[in-house]
Amino acid sequence: MPSGQTADCVTTLCRADKSDEMKSYTIEPLGDSALLIRFGKQIAIEAHRQVMEAKQLLEQRPFHGLVEVVISYAAIAVHYEPIAVLQQQLPVGKQRDSTVFTIVAQIVEEILAEQRVSLGEEQCSSPVIEVPVCYGGSFGPDLAELAAACQLSVQEVIAIHSEPLYLIYMLGFAPGFPYLGGMDERITYKRRDQPRTLVAAGSVGIAGLQTGIYPTAMPGGWNIIGRTPLTLFDADHDPPAVLQAGKRIKFVPISEAEYDKWV
């Protein structure tokens, strides 16, 4: 009984949102127990909106055999249990003609066709999470190097980095690690040539055009420009990660004395 589909079997689908505009996406296999829904290949707010809307729909209408829905910048991985899908979802008389991928792809298409969710206004009106950061010094050992490479002063980098509202596109790399969109291109800088074997929890880093926060102590190769005293991940809490995809944050510069008061 087949449970997968070859990589060249990619289904292009369209759905209409409540403004009746057609939004295209593709569905393709991801191994033998998952599929990938792609909303383009760019890091963009519109793609993120579609990802979050589809995630909400799939979680509101879980099909039998669904294991987990995992988002990225512009795609969703839908993990499922093949045997459970075949037992409960396969139409009678089609066992020999259908694969698990085609069955789940059809289910996903039907769920997304009912798209009526609009998260745009919700994201714009959601409270901004302020993240205090002590920049430079022992908390930001790479700040001076990054500033020099970008032909800016240290204070200019701090001002540029702490000015925008950042959108959390996804969590990845490590539990609770937020990938943020909205960083100013003026402070873009390459990853470190030699990653550190240990980066302190709460460290704020820059790598390329991305900025993020290390929620726990771990190895890492991003340029560390500061540190927040906030605890961003606690396995004993529900949810364990303070920051979640779709939320917005703003970095707030603080002094070392203010940092000490937090801890």
Side-chain angles (χ1 to χ4, degrees):
M1 182 177 295
S3 61
Q5 188 81 345
T6 56
D8 59 346
C9 294
V10 178
T11 305
T12 300
L13 306 168
C14 291
R15 62 172 171 81
D17 62 16
K18 63 181 181 180
S19 64
D20 292 330
E21 295 178 352
M22 297 305 292
K23 305 293 185 181
S24 63
Y25 55 84
T26 61
I27 296 181
E28 58 193 72
L30 187 63
D32 62 359
S33 59
L35 58 74
L36 194 67
I37 313 170
R38 290 189 183 275
F39 297 90
K41 297 183 178 180
Q42 302 296 321
I43 300 175
I45 291 178
E46 174 59 21
H48 172 75
R49 183 184 68 81
Q50 294 180 53
V51 165
M52 295 301 293
E53 290 174 353
K55 175 179 181 290
Q56 182 169 325
L57 274 175
L58 290 165
E59 290 179 341
Q60 288 175 343
R61 287 192 53 193
F63 57 87
H64 189 82
L66 177 65
V67 174
E68 187 178 14
V69 176
V70 181
I71 69 170
S72 65
Y73 279 116
I76 300 178
V78 180
H79 297 265
Y80 51 83
E81 174 52 55
I83 299 301
V85 171
L86 290 173
Q87 289 175 339
Q88 297 293 326
Q89 304 290 348
L90 191 60
V92 176
K94 294 187 177 181
Q95 287 85 346
R96 296 181 180 179
D97 300 328
S98 301
T99 66
V100 177
F101 167 72
T102 57
I103 295 168
V104 176
Q106 181 177 354
I107 294 170
V108 167
E109 178 183 1
E110 292 172 352
I111 293 173
L112 298 189
E114 297 183 6
Q115 175 65 47
R116 293 294 184 271
V117 182
S118 179
L119 300 177
E121 294 182 1
E122 177 183 332
Q123 288 180 350
C124 291
S125 61
S126 62
V128 175
I129 301 172
E130 292 190 345
V131 178
V133 177
C134 184
Y135 288 92
S138 60
F139 294 140
D142 301 320
L143 179 57
E145 177 185 331
L146 184 149
C150 296
Q151 299 183 332
L152 297 166
S153 69
V154 165
Q155 289 305 315
E156 286 174 326
V157 171
I158 294 173
I160 292 170
H161 185 264
S162 60
E163 181 180 4
L165 289 180
Y166 292 92
L167 175 63
I168 304 174
Y169 275 86
M170 66 176 186
L171 303 182
F173 168 58
F177 189 104
Y179 281 82
L180 308 176
M183 194 182 80
D184 194 304
E185 293 183 359
R186 289 177 293 172
I187 54 176
T188 300
Y189 192 50
K190 64 181 180 66
R191 293 171 182 263
R192 289 176 50 83
D193 293 331
Q194 294 293 328
R196 292 182 171 89
T197 57
L198 185 64
V199 176
S203 293
V204 177
I206 289 177
L209 191 53
Q210 295 179 317
T211 186
I213 313 170
Y214 287 77
T216 57
M218 67 187 78
W222 291 33
N223 302 283
I224 305 304
I225 62 170
R227 190 185 305 171
T228 179
L230 298 182
T231 299
L232 298 180
F233 184 84
D234 186 338
D236 294 327
H237 285 184
D238 184 19
V242 172
L243 305 179
Q244 297 291 328
K247 302 300 182 182
R248 298 177 301 157
I249 72 170
K250 182 173 178 59
F251 294 113
V252 179
I254 61 173
S255 66
E256 187 169 349
E258 290 172 314
Y259 181 99
D260 291 339
K261 291 180 181 179
W262 280 83
V263 299

